Amino acid sequence: MPTRSQEDKNFILSNLEETYYIENFISKEDIETLCMEYYGNINKVYKNTGPITSDIKYYDSPVLDKIIEKIYKLYPNSKVMSGMFFEVKQPHIIHNDDKHSLPKTYKAFNIPLEYDTKEEPHLCFFDQVYLDGPSKFFNGEKNIETYYNTIVYDYDNVVGKSPNPIDPIMKEKYLSHLEDKWLQGLSFNSAHAWRPGNAIVFDCVRLHCASNFVGKKLGLSIFTEYR
């Protein structure tokens, strides 16, 4: 298994910034077009872990082209590393959005497209980052099923671990689907509402997860590397 050089790790760490969102990143018409394109596309992967995904490489979409152009204007040194539509009926657990080839992973853009849930969902972030490839985080567990990400059962290599437990109010509000032991060493950073048309911008290596929800969500994620 390849390892990321310390020089590249230092570079990624030096480019970390606070997670933020951009209101009305795409229009209502763009949302409708993307949803139509996704539901009409046959190139979907039905993952054993639950999500349905569809790689953006299968889409010849002026709307996607426009989104990528916006990303390049915001981050001129970025290059699209990968991207996908994702449809989920259960909340994502703690993960990062790195790549096995270990490039100079850079910024991610999460664009909510629609949701049908009892309460407004959120995308939740932790202060910690992980620099050793695409991973999901299940501290203290074993034999967890996976599709692409490596499963991390101890947090020795998580960067910036916290000695303090997650605030129980935040845990109950956003993270009730997660075991307490999975959160050991992590500290809550922020929660961003899942509002169609907005873009949530974050570092690919930052640990994050969905808030708990019952229902369905559809979103678009585009991940970049530094060029």
Side-chain angles (χ1 to χ4, degrees), residues 20-31 66-67 70 74 109-113 193-201:
Y20 66 98
Y21 69 94
I22 303 171
E23 290 187 344
N24 303 314
F25 190 67
I26 62 174
S27 68
K28 183 180 293 186
E29 292 74 22
D30 289 341
I31 294 170
K66 183 168 60 175
I67 290 170
K70 283 187 174 184
L74 284 168
F109 284 72
N110 177 281
I111 304 171
L113 297 178
W194 184 270
R195 292 180 181 162
N198 288 0
I200 305 168
V201 187

Side-chain angles (χ1 to χ4, degrees), residues 33-44 46 52-54 59 85-87 113-114 216 218-219:
T33 298
L34 289 172
C35 289
M36 180 180 66
E37 290 175 342
Y38 166 76
Y39 287 118
N41 197 295
I42 63 171
N43 295 290
K44 294 184 175 70
Y46 295 80
I52 303 169
T53 64
S54 188
Y59 295 79
F85 292 88
F86 60 95
E87 181 182 351
L113 297 178
E114 63 180 20
K216 191 190 87 164
L218 175 65

Side-chain angles (χ1 to χ4, degrees), residues 112-145:
L113 297 178
E114 63 180 20
Y115 68 91
D116 181 10
T117 62
K118 292 182 178 180
E119 296 181 356
E120 184 177 52
H122 289 73
L123 189 57
C124 303
F125 296 88
F126 301 94
D127 294 316
Q128 289 68 36
V129 301
Y130 189 76
L131 302 169
D132 295 310
S135 302
K136 293 181 179 179
F137 298 84
F138 291 94
N139 184 58
E141 300 287 358
K142 58 182 179 180
N143 300 323
I144 298 291
E145 191 174 19

